[in-house]
Amino acid sequence: MLSGTTLSLIIILMQLIKTDIGYIAFHDELLESPSHTWFNVAFWREKQAITGSSQGRYTTWFIQYSNEDWVLRHYYRGGLIEKISHDKYLFCGLQKTRPIAEFQLLNTLYNEGFAVPKPIAANITRSGPFYRGDLIIERIQNAKDLLARLESSPMTAQEWFTLGSCIAQFHKRGVFHADLNAKNILLANDKFYLIDFDRGAIRKANPRWKQANLKRLLRSFNKEKGKSPTLAFTLDNWQQLLQGYQSIKQ
């Protein structure tokens, strides 16, 4: 149960409403307060508001609200525990739920001017000691993930340098990305964005986790290069990225 103090602290960071089945956090610029139906694909399908989808392990939906384009994502488990419960998590307090934590992190970074999607709303559905969760974010227009870009054409040395400096700015702020890979980097209108901050956090400065982040990204490039030898990625490109990274004093 939330104490009054805890609830007040959360409301300072975002708008929060209690529903009959859980909680919804949302950006204070929304034209109306969301309901739990917003997180149901059938609701948007009935309104003929679904504009597309992205297929990964699970489906992410693109929806249109008023004149805005949004992305709707349900939280699913991974690993061995997925065989036991594919989308239920143990509830250990609202701020520790994955949708609320990601919403708060995105909200902080977006308000500070970082290149991340604008968070729209997060949903928590309680079920006894467990919860399920969803997140709606703003869709970045004209964006292509880095893997798709490298499959179609190479990046310039300056673009690799810019990407490295972009990542360094996040690290300088203390932003830990739990799954930094080529698919979670977007390029739109000559600007790089980081997406999917599930399990991300703002940490104290430590070169160990920053280097681990970079190594994870390199493994991602090498893995995709192994799948597709024609992928436009070389070790020279990685050095160009590192030069950009090192141009930002940590």
Side-chain angles (χ1 to χ4, degrees), residues 19 22 40 56 66 69 73 89 115 125 168 195 239:
T19 70
N40 189 326
S66 188
D69 291 305
R73 186 179 93 230
Y89 301 85
T125 301
I195 63 170
Q239 291 304 314

Side-chain angles (χ1 to χ4, degrees), residues 8 21 103 118 135 141-142 190 215 219 223-225 227 248:
S8 296
I21 56 175
F103 183 97
K118 177 182 176 181
L135 182 70
Q141 295 298 315
N142 305 314
D190 300 319
K215 288 178 180 178
R219 286 197 302 272
K223 178 182 177 182
E224 299 300 339
K225 182 77 172 181
K227 292 179 182 178
I248 304 298

Side-chain angles (χ1 to χ4, degrees), residues 146-160:
L146 192 54
L147 178 59
R149 164 61 191 272
L150 296 177
E151 287 176 336
S152 62
S153 62
M155 293 204 306
T156 65
Q158 182 59 50
E159 285 176 319
W160 283 107

